[in-house]
RNA sequence: GCGCCUGUAGCUCAGUUGGAUAGAGCAGCUGCCUUCUAAGCAGCGGGUCAGGGGUUCGAAUCCCUUCAGGCGCGCCA
């Protein structure tokens, strides 16, 4: 990999003269005139060595040359950059490796088998998933794919909030709707769940049970209504997610955490550790001991645990399942929760950094540029199902992943629906489909594209071709950075850039020509492109179509 | 009032974790389909990186401050 080659060269060169080694930053210069890769070590070393960076760089130069490497040119430039230009040969070799050793080259193993858990979506099972959950799902699955490919052992988990007041209220809402539907005018609960899906749920309930519960008071059957309603909802959520291409390894019920006594256990352990105290008839967690603004109640004066209490137990349980790292993907409106949960992690004696929280910002839904008002209370919102049906899963996912998770997203349904250049996903998919089509043509002319005979890669000498090869070789760096920073959108951007090199090339030059050697070489290049496009789209959970 | 996030081209956003002359897409205008898919390509503009101060060889990026927007600040979930 490019980065490693530079680091090794610098290490060798510096190792001889100095004992110490600073962080070697390697970057791909924006301007091709500055070579293929550059490092800033000389600048970083300047304050240490008390010498001007340019001089350090110049002194380093002969040593780097002596250390050897696939370099055509090494130059000192600007304030003290050391710019490397690789030999053409190196690029051809790397291109070959992308195809001969695809997974090892494209999927840098930074995980080394470490166990990671990614918890995402985890929407209350009191209603259908909406577009915001869709974004969480897209980020979660992309992140999981990313980490899996980076050598982590990933478990995808959905936490079901089935214990709290909300599911109870959900059950009461259904009960009220049921009574009303059968002619019994009882009041609808304050803050109850409204919206069309409650009606549908009620229809189904009546089909199933008729008027069996008409004369049963709510106090006696609300548990049943709740249970039935949220189980029903959960199945729908699972179905929606499945159709969205998101399948979880594990569904953890909050209720189960309670019934197995894990909440009691967790609080007891915190008590032993001295982080639980009683005040004004409630139990408090001393989160301020770990930097939180205030201590938090875990058990109310009425004896009920708070939501936070089960979260404590849940996170303890996750940590004890032996993950090297647990990642929570939350809506940004939960950011206030991060600190107190980090306190929990530390209170149990785990390093704070073992838990990472990825905050996903809200999605503003638009139609033709006009905001679509959504009100959860009134039950008026666009569901993920509607978005999937209207704009498609690939497009939705891609759009969700074209921004950093923590930046706001405007999602215009009407624009997303258009099969036009407004949709970057087509741009990338189209590149993949076009290459498939080229292969088909080549096959028709009797060329075996799945096993290209001895391509003479040096025939790929056009600037367009060299540029594509280099870009392909950048993928591992983008991938690694994307995985280590938990930022899948970097892949999205890379794919657009890569496609942006291919389409012009396709327009200017013919892959299949009378010159069989050139044709084979170009097919080889296309194959590498095909491979990387598919790999990248795979990370995003987006299809790489053969035809469009 | 306090905390977190955001502020970059007309619009939507990237920006290699402090690097070299700040980039895409869209929107606008002009061209390109008898040859591997026009969901494509070629060309033309557009900037006080919200404002101010600081840190240093070097700042869109780090610190302080002001302004604007979003979110959060319960013995709710």
């Amino acid at each position: 990999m490019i980065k490693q080659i530079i680091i090794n060269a610098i290490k060798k060169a510096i190792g001889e003269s100095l004992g110490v080694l600073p962080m070697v930053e390697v970057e791909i210069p924006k301007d091709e005139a500055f070579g293929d890769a550059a490092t800033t070590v000389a600048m970083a070393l300047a304050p240490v060595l008390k010498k001007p960076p340019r001089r350090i760089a110049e002194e380093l130069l002969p040593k780097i040359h002596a250390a050897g490497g696939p370099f055509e040119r090494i130059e000192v430039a600007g304030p003290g950059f050391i710019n490397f230009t690789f030999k053409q040969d190196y690029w051809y070799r790397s291109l070959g490796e992308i195809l001969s050793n695809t997974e090892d080259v494209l999927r840098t193993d930074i995980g080394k088998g470490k166990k990671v858990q990614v918890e995402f979506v985890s929407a209350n099972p009191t209603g259908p998933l909406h577009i915001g959950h869709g974004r969480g799902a897209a980020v979660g699955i992309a992140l999981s794919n990313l980490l899996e490919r980076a050598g982590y052992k990933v478990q995808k988990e959905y936490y079901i909030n089935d214990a709290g007041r909300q599911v109870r209220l959900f059950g009461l809402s259904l009960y009220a709707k049921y009574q009303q539907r059968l002619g019994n005018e009882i009041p609808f609960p304050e803050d109850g769940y409204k919206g069309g899906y409650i009606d549908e749920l009620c229809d189904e309930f009546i089909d199933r049970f008729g008027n069996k519960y008409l004369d049963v008071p709510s106090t006696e059957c609300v548990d049943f209504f709740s249970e039935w309603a949220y189980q029903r909802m959960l199945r729908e959520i699972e179905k929606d997610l499945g159709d969205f291409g998101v399948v979880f390894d594990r569904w953890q019920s909050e209720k189960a955490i309670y019934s197995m006594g894990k909440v009691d256990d967790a609080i007891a352990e915190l008590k032993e550790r001295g982080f639980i105290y009683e005040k004004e008839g409630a139990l408090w967690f001393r989160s301020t001991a770990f930097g939180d603004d205030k201590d938090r109640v875990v058990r109310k004066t009425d004896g009920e645990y708070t939501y936070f209490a089960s979260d404590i137990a849940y996170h303890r349980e996750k940590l004890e399942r032996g993950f090297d790292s647990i990642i929570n993907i939350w809506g940004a409106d939960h950011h206030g929760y991060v600190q107190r949960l980090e306190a929990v992690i530390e209170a149990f004696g785990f390093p704070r950094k073992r838990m990472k929280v990825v905050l996903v910002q809200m999605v503003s839904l638009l139609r033709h540029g006009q905001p679509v008002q959504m009100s959860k209370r009134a039950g008026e919102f666009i569901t993920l199902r509607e978005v999937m049906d209207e704009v498609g899963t690939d497009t939705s996912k891609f759009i969700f992943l074209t921004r950093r998770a923590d930046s706001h997203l405007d999602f215009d349904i009407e624009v997303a629906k258009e099969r036009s250049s407004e949709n970057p996903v087509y741009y990338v998919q189209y590149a993949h489909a076009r290459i498939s089509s080229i292969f088909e043509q080549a096959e028709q002319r009797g060329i075996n594209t799945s096993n290209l005979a001895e391509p003479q890669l040096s025939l790929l000498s056009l600037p367009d071709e060299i540029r594509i090869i280099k870009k392909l070789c950048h993928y591992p760096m983008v991938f690694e950075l994307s995985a280590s920073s938990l930022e899948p959108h970097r892949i999205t951007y890379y794919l657009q850039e890569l496609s942006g090199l291919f389409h012009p090339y396709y327009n200017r030059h013919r892959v299949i020509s009378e010159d069989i050697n050139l044709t084979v070489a170009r097919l080889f290049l296309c194959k590498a492109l095909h491979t990387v496009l598919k790999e990248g789209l795979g990370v995003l959970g987006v299809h790489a179509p053969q035809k469009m």
Side-chain angles (χ1 to χ4, degrees):
Chain A
M1 195 165 118
I2 299 167
K3 198 172 160 185
Q4 207 52 50
I5 290 170
I6 306 292
I7 292 175
N8 288 344
I10 296 292
K11 265 187 184 164
K12 259 190 180 170
I14 296 184
E16 290 166 13
S17 46
L18 291 115
V20 287
L21 191 67
M23 280 284 289
V24 182
E25 302 283 356
V26 179
E27 59 187 50
I28 307 296
K30 280 171 286 195
D31 192 333
E32 288 177 14
F34 295 133
D36 297 318
T39 178
T40 56
V41 260
M43 280 106 102
L45 237 33
V48 187
L49 300 180
K50 301 204 166 51
K51 279 197 262 186
R54 270 201 78 106
R55 232 180 81 201
I56 297 174
E58 272 151 19
E59 286 170 11
L60 231 39
L61 215 50
K63 289 177 181 143
I64 301 172
H65 271 116
F71 309 122
E72 176 75 36
R73 230 177 25 253
I74 310 171
E75 297 167 313
V76 177
F81 290 98
I82 304 175
N83 294 337
F84 297 80
T85 304
F86 287 78
K87 285 183 180 153
Q88 203 87 321
D89 211 47
Y90 168 79
W91 297 115
Y92 294 138
R93 218 170 47 238
S94 303
L95 180 65
E97 277 167 20
I98 290 177
L99 287 180
S100 63
N101 208 0
T102 306
E103 294 207 353
D104 286 345
V105 173
L106 298 184
R107 306 179 176 180
T108 323
D109 184 7
I110 58 173
K112 313 246 186 263
K114 283 200 225 88
K115 289 174 69 184
V116 176
Q117 198 231 33
V118 184
E119 184 225 311
F120 59 110
V121 187
S122 298
N124 278 348
T126 53
L129 297 175
H130 56 68
I131 191 166
H133 297 127
R135 188 180 187 185
V139 170
I141 196 68
L143 214 48
S144 300
N145 291 337
L146 202 51
L147 293 172
E148 239 160 56
R149 283 162 163 78
Y152 290 92
K153 197 126 181 36
V154 180
Q155 185 184 59
K156 288 162 280 183
E157 182 156 308
Y158 187 117
Y159 182 55
I160 310 165
N161 292 118
D162 52 4
R165 187 177 145 262
Q166 294 307 315
V167 286
R168 191 183 169 77
L169 187 58
F170 189 41
L172 277 173
S173 303
L174 178 61
Y175 178 82
K177 181 67 75 179
Y178 174 77
Q179 293 291 337
Q180 289 173 1
R181 185 69 65 78
L182 296 181
N184 201 351
E185 280 306 319
I186 68 162
F188 201 76
E190 190 89 6
D191 297 333
Y193 288 87
K194 305 183 178 79
Y197 68 97
I198 288 278
D199 292 273
E200 290 170 28
L201 216 55
C202 188
D203 289 342
E204 209 178 310
F205 190 91
I206 292 172
D207 277 351
R208 196 71 197 276
F209 301 103
N211 60 3
K212 187 173 167 190
Y213 294 94
L214 189 56
D215 300 319
V216 183
S218 69
T219 46
E220 279 172 36
C221 63
V222 64
D223 284 346
F224 173 77
F225 272 79
S226 297
E227 180 81 14
W228 187 89
Y230 94 75
Q231 291 287 3
R232 180 67 198 75
M233 215 61 245
L234 209 55
R235 279 205 299 282
E236 200 166 312
I237 287 172
E238 188 173 5
K239 170 97 171 54
D240 288 352
L241 287 170
D243 291 346
F244 196 56
V246 175
V247 177
F248 285 90
D249 301 312
R250 203 165 174 279
W251 296 70
Q252 174 64 53
S253 149
E254 179 187 6
K255 216 193 270 184
I257 298 232
Y258 272 109
S259 61
M260 291 166 78
K262 291 191 174 175
V263 179
D264 294 326
D265 289 353
I267 303 302
E269 185 183 335
L270 284 182
K271 198 171 207 166
E272 262 173 49
R273 288 174 176 267
F275 298 120
I276 294 284
Y277 64 93
E278 207 171 332
K279 193 180 86 182
E280 294 160 2
L283 273 191
W284 297 71
F285 170 57
R286 199 184 303 281
S287 52
T288 49
F290 305 98
D292 196 9
D293 300 338
K294 45 184 131 175
D295 292 341
R296 309 290 172 174
V297 171
V298 294
R299 202 178 64 207
K300 301 178 271 180
T301 43
D302 65 6
E304 294 267 315
Y305 281 121
T306 60
Y307 177 82
F308 181 47
S310 55
D311 255 3
I312 290 174
Y314 176 46
H315 280 80
R316 171 174 178 259
E317 206 256 347
K318 288 206 277 190
L319 289 165
E320 288 180 349
R321 273 194 255 154
F323 294 105
D324 297 288
S325 172
I326 58 177
I327 298 171
N328 294 336
I329 298 178
W330 289 348
D333 52 341
H334 287 72
H335 73 255
Y337 232 70
V338 177
Q339 244 189 351
R340 76 186 69 166
L341 227 45
E342 280 175 346
V344 170
I345 308 293
E346 280 194 279
F348 282 120
F350 293 96
R352 170 178 288 237
K353 285 198 311 204
R354 186 150 307 182
M355 178 188 72
K356 289 174 191 145
V357 179
V358 175
L359 295 174
V360 180
Q361 269 294 352
M362 306 183 65
V363 180
S364 314
L365 201 60
L366 310 172
R367 266 188 202 280
H368 297 301
Q370 296 303 311
V372 177
Q373 287 309 322
M374 295 213 273
S375 153
K376 222 194 238 172
R377 292 178 57 109
E380 286 169 9
F381 51 82
I382 306 291
T383 62
L384 176 59
R385 169 62 62 187
E386 289 170 277
V387 174
M388 277 160 57
D389 290 348
E390 243 183 285
V391 314
T393 56
D394 282 344
T395 306
S396 313
K397 277 187 191 161
F398 202 90
I399 290 174
F400 286 139
L401 295 167
T402 45
R403 274 144 189 64
R404 288 203 334 267
D406 65 349
S407 91
H408 293 260
L409 172 63
D410 285 345
F411 192 113
D412 193 315
I413 290 206
E414 295 304 324
V415 172
K417 253 162 65 177
E418 289 171 24
R419 284 179 167 46
S420 73
S421 48
E422 284 256 28
N423 279 321
V425 64
Y426 297 122
Y427 190 74
V428 177
Q429 287 184 319
Y430 191 46
H432 186 268
R434 264 184 160 174
I435 294 171
S436 302
S437 175
I438 294 173
F439 289 156
E440 207 172 295
Q441 294 284 331
E443 289 285 347
Q444 279 170 19
R445 300 195 189 191
I447 301 172
N448 181 359
T449 54
S450 49
N451 187 18
L452 290 167
E454 298 176 32
Q456 296 167 37
L457 297 182
S458 59
L459 295 175
L460 301 171
S461 56
L462 295 167
D464 281 359
E465 291 167 334
I466 300 298
R467 216 168 283 137
I468 292 174
I469 296 172
K470 289 179 179 176
K471 192 74 182 178
L472 288 169
C473 292
H474 293 164
Y475 181 83
M477 287 177 74
V478 175
F479 171 82
E480 190 183 310
L481 184 65
S482 189
S484 62
S485 60
L486 307 180
E487 294 178 333
H489 75 278
R490 293 178 184 276
I491 301 284
T492 316
Y493 276 89
Y494 170 84
L495 291 174
Q496 294 183 67
E497 288 166 12
L498 185 61
S499 306
L501 293 181
F502 170 72
H503 288 302
Y505 172 66
Y506 176 91
N507 257 269
R508 276 198 281 266
H509 311 285
R510 293 191 57 80
V511 172
I512 300 168
S513 66
E514 298 310 313
D515 185 339
I516 183 66
N517 288 330
L518 184 61
T519 300
V520 169
R522 286 184 173 171
L523 282 170
F524 193 85
L525 175 63
C526 285
K527 217 171 154 185
L529 262 164
H530 210 237
T531 303
V532 173
L533 286 170
K534 188 174 180 188
E535 171 71 10
L537 285 170
V539 169
L540 306 182
V542 173
H543 293 282
Q546 303 292 330
K547 276 192 167 60
M548 283 176 72

